[in-house]
Amino acid sequence: MATTSSMFMYSLTIQPPASITHATVGQFTGTKEQQIVAASGSRLTIYKHPESDKTKLDALLSQDIFGIIRVVAAFRLPGGSKDYIIIASDSGRVAIIDYLPDQNRFNRIHLETYGKSGIRRVIPGQYLAMDPKGRACLIASAEKNKLVYILNRTPQSDLTISSPLEAHKPQTLVYGLVGLDTGYDNPVFAALEVDYTECDQDPTGQALGELEKSLVYYELDLGLNHVVRKWSDPVDRTANMLLSVPGGSDGPSGVLVCGLDSITYRHSNQNAFRVAIPRRRGATENPERKRYITAGVAHKMRGQSWFLVQSEDGDVFKVTLHMVEDDSGQMTGEVKRLVIKYFDTLPVASSLCILRTGCLFVATEGGNHHLYGFEKVGDADNEIEYYSDLFPTDPAEPYEPAYFLPRKSENMCLFDNISSMNPQLDCKVTNLTEEDAPQIYSICGSGARSSFRTLKHGLAVNHIVDADLPRMISAVFTTKTHRDNKFDTYIVLSFDTNTLVLSIGENVEEVSDTGFLTSTSCLAVQQLGEDGVVQIHPKGIRHIRADKTIKEWPAPQHRSIVAATTNNRQAAVALSSGELVYFELDSDGSLAEFEEKREMSGTVTCLSLGDIPEGRMRSEFLAVGCDDSTVRIMSLDPDATLESKSVQALTSAPTSLAIMAMTDSISGGSTLYLHIGLYSGVYLRTVLDEITGELSDTRTRFLGPKPAKLFQVLINGQTSVLALSSRPWLGYPDPVTKAFTLTPLNYTALDWGANVSSELCKNGIVGIQDQSLRIFEIGNLVNNLLQESIPLTYTPKKFVRHPELPLFYTIEADNNTISPATKQKLLDSSTIVNRDGLVLPAEGFGHARAQGHWASCIHVVDPVVTKSVLQQIDLEDNEAATSIAVVSFSSQSDETFLVVGTGKDMVLNPRSFSAGFIYIYRFLEDGKELEFIHKTRLEAPPTALLSFQGRLLAGIGKELRIYDLGLKQMLRKCQAQVVSNLIVGLQTQGSRIIVSDVQESVAYVVYKYQDNRLIPFADDAVARWTTSTAMVDYETTAGGDKFGNLWLLRCPPKASEEADEDGAGAHLIHERQYLQGAPNRLELMSHFFPQDIPTSIQKTQLVAGGRDVIFWAGIQGTMGILVPFVSREDVDFFQTLEQHLRSEDAPLAGRDHLIYRSYYVPVKGAIDGDLCERYALLPNEKKEMIAGEMDRSVREVERKISDMRTRVAY
């Protein structure tokens, strides 16, 4: 297969995956504070409490390791104060990572190879267990192989890792692995194992029924340096999980073995103790349903320890070990009993972490992750405690089940959420609010924790003040009265004919004795020198001293000031005649006019003086913008005042200028920039040379159709630029990369802005819009995708948009879940005692479950106006919705209907059903209500529906059918078997249909209207397990499969033309089939492995004026784009950069980047933009080395990388 391509795509991630598979706690910064390290797909993220608030979690650092993280654990060497991270990934290597807080980056300390790459059943990496004292780790595969590494330190205190010690056992499957707490005795590891030797040799299957699961102890003898299989004992065959019991001085050591309806304490020198997992009591609960434990965490506290374990329903139980006491009342090391009681109900977790701050971090399986605070530890409540004395050790023996009644949370309170869109089932990009840029709409989550989410590019704004004034405001300024003031003293509002001065204190109120001239409008206000204030107005300049003495500079006769700029020691004004007048503070603190004046060729539209650099007397340059579409840099050197240094031609007249020194990712310090706003709404940022005044490295961005105005603001201590057009934007250094980032604010459009600092609002911005005065703060600069969430009832499957109105229609279904009708019957018919009839909210406790039942509904969602669900239609008779489409029927005068496909009594595996149906709904009340018209019974559930030439196209099993709308049911017009398994998706343009098969990629089908035939004419040579597709153009299809691949297929031009020839298509029907498929084969144009299963693909634009991109969304909450390259030169540049980065910035866990992106098929026609963007994080010497080898400057390389993202996305 050729790996070169005529089409090249640039892959970028917009939102990284959010599904946390593993999380661990440790002191990774070397301080007493704890942090959480979480693994999400290929990303490693470290979270911590912000210093000001211990009830929040902030992400410190998130890094793509370009490999699949299988397990992550924390350990600390004996006597150390810092924890390290150990990662088992698909690289066939064990990686030890250190977090460097001063550089905010991960540093790889060790990389030990032990096997092949990839995820294989006999290559270790599936399980990882640490000795609690940090002396050794055991890494195991799903079958046979186990390796033990001894961890130690050199005399120089560097961490070392030994050669691996083998503990292999062939024909053995591992189900769980933990490190035992043995104090400072030899490290011991406990494993759940099954030896299938006899099953393998028994054709009758009898040995399979007698199979035993064993708890096995492996001891590492540190003296002899080898591993022995120390102890083995049979356990419950359903055992699925091990939890390590604290040992040494904290407890008896050993493990808790969790299985079906069973938690058993086991240790080599102790008796076994078992408790049953309590089951929910209630009218809608099945009393016979047994639960598994899915997550657990141990907590040590002042000599006592206890466990929190969670069942598959989300119920959390507290498990405690009671010890035998000696004659003096002291605890011995012998266990007396095991106790379990109901604690609380939380979302089902993949990992639970307890922090010393009294918080519990819940990494949920679906939906947002949560941080809870402990209010109590469940000791003083009235919940029933179940003792191990009540239950036999052998779970096969009869016993009385334990029951509890769920209740609202009493022991935990929710502190914080970390947004997660896992699992993400469908996604659409569209502009419902008619803003500059479209929004992203997504359905995600599972069960009762599902949600409909609206994502919008922007920074969150904290609104503080909104005041209406009687007249239109033209400008706003803030100023101190003394240089050493901590906060601003005045807010100055300029109107068309006068000025209003407000004092800032406990209250904001108008003041009149300030010395300001209030009878005219205002162009600039600035604190000057030590204790002066300067006011510039159209008729002159007023310098107000601290003793209220005023010095005026009047504008020359018949001329007025049209533009002005100031800093703490300088001022410059432009007169209506085109003259520039420059002022500077002299030694006695008065504003002195320079004799040199400069007449400009055109009318001056804007001016800018930068702030005075530290240790200097003046800003060296004045930027002058004129209506002849130029910007000139003037020298302010006393020997060459107002001498032109450089000129830049622009595409439009400048409306605003700002010279600022900002943090620079290239130099590592700060660089002087000139920011330019144009009348056309374009923003430019160019580097201003501090010595020569030359302008270079210009970058542009379209902000909106209104003229761009720029203002210098201070955000989180960093100099930033506030850019105002049709909406406000903020330009700031990225908190991680320090690269300049321009992001819109989620706020109303503003006409003017300025920094404001007061006791109540230290880093605020005051803005004006028409007659409104607004004060707001910008807090979090890390998250630039804002989310709004609308709760849904069941797991959403698909959704469609109303063709004209801002409404969506979702179909939702949950398997093994009781429907509302069945639930009501149970509540009505049962003999309810005590609180059994209490119905708890499904959002917190989940829906009642029952085998073989389906709960399904259709929702009308308004994400714009009411931001809620407008109507819910529940499906009955054990039906579940499988597909949805909005279809316009020609036979009904092009009226649009909602079509929903359902299946009855469906079993997912092996696939079976009793019937399928097509429901037709009419839109009422402008689409806000649905009216049922009729339903049509089918022999199989329709898995894909699409509007096609005024009729309905339906994929039913292997068959593709065309239906028209009848009075009482759907009328079948045409059908053909076009795939070999199951149709899962349909796309169309003209008379061409792209049909996705669940297992056999896509087929191109043409509909011949004259002959009423559906004819497949091209299919794929590779069997792809298709999950989603989109037509990129008439001949090209983008698709994703269930193994996490993205690909583009193209139909050969000749085959495409022949399929569209006029006639009945006889030549296509009689054309010879190739290998029992269609006559033609599709060509693979591009292939890439993003490591998430694409559930939605769409060709769209993401920013105003941007190019079309292929937008895709993955099941783990990932969002990404594929950007087509326009020129071969760009392709060569990024291919070379990618090759350099593969060697200079090798993936953290040791995975080969090229092999990783070619997981199943060699990468073709795709460049990894996420890897290219890591260039900005390299040390300067590596940046310069790579740029030098590419014959470019570092700025050029960074600009090309930045432009690839900013021109099409965010």
Side-chain angles (χ1 to χ4, degrees):
M1 186 185 290
T3 54
T4 56
S5 178
S6 58
M7 176 195 286
F8 275 86
M9 312 298 282
Y10 185 78
S11 170
L12 275 175
T13 299
I14 289 173
Q15 177 171 282
S19 64
I20 295 176
T21 50
H22 293 89
T24 185
V25 176
Q27 292 165 227
F28 303 107
T29 57
T31 62
K32 290 185 178 179
E33 280 191 14
Q34 287 183 312
Q35 296 82 35
I36 295 168
V37 165
S40 308
S42 64
R43 292 192 85 83
L44 196 65
T45 308
I46 186 164
Y47 295 97
K48 69 154 196 163
H49 289 302
E51 290 179 12
S52 58
D53 191 352
K54 299 301 180 190
T55 64
K56 301 283 182 189
L57 272 185
D58 285 347
L60 262 180
L61 175 65
S62 182
Q63 181 173 331
D64 197 328
I65 70 156
F66 301 105
I68 299 170
I69 302 173
R70 301 171 75 182
V71 199
V72 63
F75 73 95
R76 182 187 306 184
L77 292 173
S81 61
K82 183 175 186 178
D83 287 323
Y84 297 96
I85 306 160
I86 187 163
I87 299 173
S89 68
D90 61 341
S91 63
R93 299 166 165 188
V94 60
I96 297 178
I97 310 295
D98 182 18
Y99 173 68
L100 305 178
D102 51 338
Q103 300 173 32
N104 192 27
R105 69 180 182 90
F106 292 119
N107 176 44
R108 188 172 67 207
I109 301 173
H110 277 290
L111 193 62
E112 283 294 315
T113 304
Y114 56 74
K116 293 178 181 177
S117 63
I119 296 175
R120 307 161 194 259
R121 71 179 194 174
V122 292
I123 301 297
Q126 184 65 27
Y127 298 100
L128 176 67
M130 296 300 307
D131 169 48
K133 294 291 186 249
R135 297 167 297 170
C137 74
L138 190 151
I139 185 164
S141 59
E143 182 182 347
K144 183 185 174 184
N145 294 329
K146 296 181 188 67
L147 297 171
V148 177
Y149 287 95
I150 299 171
L151 303 163
N152 215 325
R153 56 160 64 93
T154 63
Q156 291 78 32
S157 295
D158 295 329
L159 186 145
T160 62
I161 185 167
S162 71
S163 299
L165 303 173
E166 295 183 354
H168 305 335
K169 189 168 188 295
Q171 295 182 312
T172 300
L173 300 174
V174 179
Y175 287 84
L177 187 70
V178 292
L180 251 64
D181 190 348
T182 58
Y184 284 100
D185 292 343
N186 281 334
V188 176
F189 300 95
L192 274 178
E193 293 183 355
V194 166
D195 187 335
Y196 65 85
T197 309
E198 292 181 9
C199 296
D200 230 14
Q201 298 163 359
D202 176 25
T204 64
Q206 183 181 347
L208 179 64
E210 298 169 357
L211 200 65
E212 281 188 339
K213 194 172 279 186
S214 301
L215 175 66
V216 183
Y217 280 9
Y218 290 90
E219 183 178 0
L220 168 63
D221 192 317
L222 290 170
L224 299 174
N225 205 29
H226 76 250
V227 184
V228 294
R229 192 180 167 97
K230 182 182 179 184
W231 177 71
S232 175
D233 204 36
V235 293
D236 181 7
R237 191 171 166 181
T238 63
N240 66 311
M241 188 178 177
L242 294 175
L243 292 170
S244 179
V245 176
S249 60
D250 296 313
S253 189
V255 291
L256 293 184
V257 182
C258 304
L260 183 64
D261 204 44
S262 153
I263 299 174
T264 311
Y265 170 74
R266 299 299 301 270
H267 196 30
S268 55
N269 60 0
Q270 301 264 11
N271 293 326
F273 297 93
R274 175 182 168 271
V275 290
I277 300 169
R279 307 172 192 177
R280 285 189 181 183
R281 202 173 74 228
T284 58
E285 294 293 336
N286 177 6
E288 300 301 316
R289 185 165 76 88
K290 299 177 180 180
R291 273 80 167 170
Y292 277 103
I293 294 298
T294 57
V297 62
H299 182 58
K300 290 189 279 191
M301 186 174 67
R302 290 190 296 276
Q304 61 170 321
S305 59
W306 40 267
F307 294 84
L308 292 182
V309 296
Q310 187 179 43
S311 73
E312 62 202 76
D313 291 338
D315 299 320
V316 178
F317 303 98
K318 183 179 178 182
V319 178
T320 315
L321 291 165
H322 287 186
M323 312 299 290
V324 174
E325 296 179 1
D326 60 17
D327 297 338
S328 60
Q330 296 295 313
M331 300 288 185
T332 64
E334 189 181 345
V335 178
K336 182 167 66 175
R337 65 166 69 92
L338 191 62
V339 184
I340 189 168
K341 64 187 291 192
Y342 174 59
F343 188 75
D344 260 339
T345 299
L346 304 175
V348 180
S350 58
S351 286
L352 296 171
C353 299
I354 295 178
L355 290 89
R356 287 198 201 113
T357 52
C359 296
L360 173 72
F361 177 65
V362 179
T364 59
E365 286 188 351
N368 292 347
H369 309 298
H370 297 307
L371 183 71
Y372 290 91
F374 283 96
E375 293 193 329
K376 297 183 287 184
V377 291
D379 288 338
D381 56 21
N382 298 320
E383 293 296 332
I384 303 169
E385 291 188 340
Y386 291 98
Y387 294 89
S388 53
D389 310 351
L390 303 170
F391 304 100
T393 309
D394 184 0
E397 291 181 25
Y399 60 92
E400 193 68 32
Y403 291 99
F404 74 98
L405 202 61
R407 52 160 168 74
K408 290 190 176 177
S409 184
E410 291 180 357
N411 298 308
M412 313 292 296
C413 67
L414 182 62
F415 280 169
D416 195 16
N417 283 318
I418 295 174
S419 179
S420 168
M421 295 173 62
N422 168 58
Q424 183 173 221
L425 284 310
D426 202 356
C427 188
K428 297 196 187 312
V429 180
T430 184
N431 194 349
L432 296 187
T433 55
E434 297 182 1
E435 296 177 2
D436 295 344
Q439 306 85 47
I440 301 170
Y441 298 92
S442 173
I443 48 174
C444 53
S446 59
R449 300 187 70 241
S450 307
S451 59
F452 181 103
R453 303 218 183 173
T454 304
L455 282 86
K456 189 177 174 184
H457 181 222
L459 293 171
V461 168
N462 179 22
H463 188 77
I464 298 171
V465 173
D466 188 355
D468 284 334
L469 297 170
R471 283 179 297 142
M472 295 274 282
I473 315 167
S474 58
V476 62
F477 309 95
T478 58
T479 184
K480 302 173 183 177
T481 53
H482 196 281
R483 181 191 290 176
D484 298 329
N485 285 4
K486 191 175 178 182
F487 301 118
D488 290 324
T489 310
Y490 298 129
I491 296 176
V492 181
L493 301 177
S494 172
F495 299 91
D496 289 341
T497 57
N498 69 315
T499 296
L500 182 69
V501 184
L502 305 173
S503 75
I504 304 172
E506 288 186 9
N507 297 311
V508 176
E509 53 194 11
E510 185 180 350
V511 285
S512 55
D513 57 343
T514 57
F516 282 89
L517 182 66
T518 57
S519 59
T520 181
S521 61
C522 200
L523 296 175
V525 172
Q526 171 79 43
Q527 192 276 319
L528 201 66
E530 283 294 324
D531 55 6
V533 177
V534 66
Q535 176 193 11
I536 302 178
H537 52 88
K539 292 300 177 187
I541 300 175
R542 172 174 282 218
H543 184 193
I544 308 159
R545 305 293 286 268
D547 56 4
K548 293 290 186 277
T549 57
I550 294 171
K551 186 177 178 185
E552 291 268 9
W553 178 88
Q557 201 169 6
H558 307 303
R559 280 170 280 182
S560 61
I561 298 173
V562 292
T565 180
T566 59
N567 62 28
N568 185 252
R569 291 184 55 83
Q570 298 163 281
V573 296
L575 304 178
S576 52
S577 59
E579 276 183 303
L580 290 179
V581 186
Y582 172 59
F583 302 84
E584 202 170 293
L585 214 61
D586 57 20
S587 56
D588 67 347
S590 49
L591 204 58
E593 177 187 353
F594 271 54
E595 291 181 7
E596 292 90 345
K597 292 185 175 62
R598 176 72 183 266
E599 192 159 333
M600 306 304 293
S601 55
T603 304
V604 177
T605 57
C606 47
L607 298 170
S608 177
L609 279 166
D611 286 340
I612 300 169
E614 199 171 334
R616 299 277 187 92
M617 289 291 291
R618 64 180 61 83
S619 172
E620 295 293 330
F621 301 109
L622 170 69
V624 183
C626 299
D627 63 357
D628 58 357
S629 299
T630 59
V631 168
R632 289 173 169 80
I633 300 300
M634 304 290 188
S635 170
L636 297 180
D637 190 290
D639 299 329
T641 308
L642 298 183
E643 186 179 294
S644 183
K645 286 287 188 181
S646 61
V647 181
Q648 174 144 339
L650 307 169
T651 55
S652 172
T655 53
S656 187
L657 298 172
I659 295 176
M660 290 183 217
M662 294 182 72
T663 305
D664 183 22
S665 62
I666 297 168
S667 65
S670 67
T671 299
L672 199 61
Y673 290 101
L674 172 64
H675 303 266
I676 307 168
L678 302 187
Y679 189 80
S680 59
V682 172
Y683 158 80
L684 295 89
R685 179 178 66 103
T686 183
V687 175
L688 176 59
D689 191 290
E690 297 179 32
I691 308 298
T692 64
E694 292 292 325
L695 298 172
S696 61
D697 189 26
T698 303
R699 310 205 184 170
T700 62
R701 185 80 178 265
F702 178 65
L703 302 184
K706 290 173 69 175
K709 297 177 186 173
L710 309 178
F711 305 92
Q712 181 173 332
V713 293
L714 203 66
I715 305 293
N716 296 346
Q718 296 274 10
T719 303
S720 307
V721 58
L722 179 69
L724 305 178
S725 179
S726 53
R727 58 176 169 166
W729 296 69
L730 186 73
Y732 57 95
D734 184 272
V736 177
T737 65
K738 305 303 179 193
F740 182 78
T741 308
L742 192 66
T743 308
L745 301 180
N746 185 30
Y747 205 59
T748 183
L750 297 172
D751 301 324
W752 201 277
N755 248 123
V756 62
S757 179
S758 69
E759 286 188 39
L760 297 174
C761 172
K762 292 183 173 57
N763 255 333
I765 294 173
V766 57
I768 55 170
Q769 183 205 16
D770 297 336
Q771 294 173 250
S772 297
L773 177 74
R774 304 172 190 272
I775 299 177
F776 58 91
E777 277 183 320
I778 302 165
N780 184 1
L781 297 179
V782 176
N783 183 20
N784 65 356
L785 268 181
L786 300 173
Q787 294 187 16
E788 288 181 348
S789 183
I790 300 169
L792 301 177
T793 307
Y794 306 114
T795 304
K797 302 299 181 185
K798 292 173 184 169
F799 73 129
V800 291
R801 187 200 159 180
H802 191 285
E804 295 151 12
L805 301 165
L807 297 170
F808 283 99
Y809 306 90
T810 68
I811 52 170
E812 300 155 40
D814 270 328
N815 193 12
N816 296 334
T817 301
I818 292 176
S819 67
T822 310
K823 186 176 181 180
Q824 195 55 49
K825 279 181 193 172
L826 289 169
L827 288 169
D828 293 343
S829 62
S830 64
T831 52
I832 296 170
V833 292
N834 298 336
R835 292 166 58 227
D836 286 3
L838 184 68
V839 179
L840 292 159
E843 299 80 44
F845 298 87
H847 296 290
R849 305 178 69 80
Q851 193 72 26
H853 286 253
W854 282 90
S856 184
C857 70
I858 304 164
H859 272 154
V860 182
V861 181
D862 177 4
V864 177
V865 183
T866 63
K867 297 181 181 176
S868 63
V869 172
L870 302 179
Q871 185 185 11
Q872 176 172 330
I873 299 171
D874 287 302
L875 300 180
E876 298 176 354
D877 297 334
N878 210 31
E879 286 181 44
T882 56
S883 52
I884 187 170
V886 173
V887 183
S888 171
F889 286 101
S890 304
S891 59
Q892 304 293 320
S893 307
D894 288 332
E895 186 183 350
T896 304
F897 294 85
L898 184 72
V899 183
V900 177
T902 70
K904 185 176 180 183
D905 302 329
M906 288 193 297
V907 177
L908 298 176
N909 190 22
R911 189 169 185 267
S912 68
F913 41 81
S914 60
F917 296 93
I918 291 179
Y919 283 74
I920 303 294
Y921 293 93
R922 178 177 270 123
F923 295 116
L924 300 177
E925 302 290 331
D926 288 332
K928 294 175 184 175
E929 286 185 20
L930 298 175
E931 179 191 30
F932 175 69
I933 305 297
H934 60 64
K935 72 175 182 177
T936 305
R937 188 183 179 93
L938 307 170
E939 67 275 15
T943 45
L945 299 172
L946 188 68
S947 180
F948 178 71
Q949 297 183 358
R951 295 192 283 189
L952 171 68
L953 192 66
I956 300 162
K958 303 177 185 179
E959 291 185 343
L960 185 64
R961 295 182 186 173
I962 295 176
Y963 283 94
D964 208 345
L965 185 62
L967 288 175
K968 294 188 176 179
Q969 66 172 30
M970 302 299 292
L971 308 174
R972 191 191 313 181
K973 298 295 182 183
C974 176
Q975 78 173 42
Q977 185 175 323
V978 295
V979 297
S980 52
N981 295 289
L982 176 69
I983 295 173
V984 292
L986 297 169
Q987 304 286 331
T988 184
Q989 280 187 30
S991 59
R992 179 168 298 178
I993 304 160
I994 310 298
V995 182
S996 309
D997 182 61
V998 71
Q999 192 175 334
E1000 296 287 345
S1001 191
V1002 297
Y1004 280 45
V1005 178
V1006 65
Y1007 175 60
K1008 293 297 181 182
Y1009 184 77
Q1010 304 93 321
D1011 209 26
N1012 194 29
R1013 296 191 77 156
L1014 291 160
I1015 308 166
F1017 65 90
D1019 59 16
D1020 197 1
V1022 178
R1024 306 181 198 279
W1025 294 69
T1026 318
T1027 54
S1028 58
T1029 54
M1031 289 187 79
V1032 179
D1033 56 42
Y1034 192 59
E1035 287 162 354
T1036 312
T1037 301
D1041 62 42
K1042 76 168 190 176
F1043 297 105
N1045 298 299
L1046 280 170
W1047 31 264
L1048 276 90
L1049 300 171
R1050 180 168 286 169
C1051 180
K1054 187 181 175 190
S1056 179
E1057 288 166 15
E1058 285 179 0
D1060 288 341
E1061 285 176 6
D1062 292 337
H1067 60 293
L1068 292 175
I1069 298 163
H1070 300 301
E1071 197 166 350
R1072 205 174 102 202
Q1073 292 187 345
Y1074 181 68
L1075 296 176
Q1076 299 178 340
N1080 302 291
R1081 288 289 174 266
L1082 303 174
E1083 298 170 1
L1084 179 67
M1085 303 304 295
S1086 182
H1087 199 285
F1088 188 73
F1089 176 74
Q1091 213 261 290
D1092 198 357
I1093 300 169
T1095 53
S1096 170
I1097 299 177
Q1098 185 180 348
K1099 179 184 167 186
T1100 185
Q1101 291 178 356
L1102 285 178
V1103 295
R1107 296 210 318 268
D1108 279 350
V1109 297
I1110 297 171
F1111 174 88
W1112 67 275
I1115 199 164
Q1116 295 179 72
T1118 316
M1119 289 182 183
I1121 55 171
L1122 295 175
V1123 188
F1125 280 103
V1126 178
S1127 69
R1128 185 77 211 186
E1129 183 190 347
D1130 282 350
V1131 173
D1132 293 340
F1133 172 86
F1134 281 100
Q1135 275 185 325
T1136 310
L1137 178 64
E1138 194 180 31
Q1139 286 168 5
H1140 282 299
L1141 286 166
R1142 280 175 183 150
S1143 57
E1144 297 299 330
D1145 186 38
L1148 199 64
R1151 187 79 162 111
D1152 183 285
H1153 176 268
L1154 182 60
I1155 296 173
Y1156 169 67
R1157 290 302 188 195
S1158 309
Y1159 222 104
Y1160 297 95
V1161 175
V1163 64
K1164 177 181 179 180
I1167 288 166
D1168 188 356
D1170 295 334
L1171 179 66
C1172 293
E1173 288 188 341
R1174 285 199 55 77
Y1175 179 83
L1177 299 169
L1178 292 178
N1180 278 339
E1181 57 272 15
K1182 280 195 177 181
K1183 285 187 188 177
E1184 287 166 7
M1185 186 267 288
I1186 292 172
E1189 291 192 10
M1190 297 175 71
D1191 295 329
R1192 307 271 181 144
S1193 69
V1194 174
R1195 281 198 187 280
E1196 279 182 279
V1197 176
E1198 291 208 339
R1199 184 175 69 206
K1200 284 189 83 72
I1201 295 168
S1202 169
D1203 285 352
M1204 282 304 291
R1205 181 180 282 271
T1206 56
R1207 286 180 179 174
V1208 295
Y1210 22 79

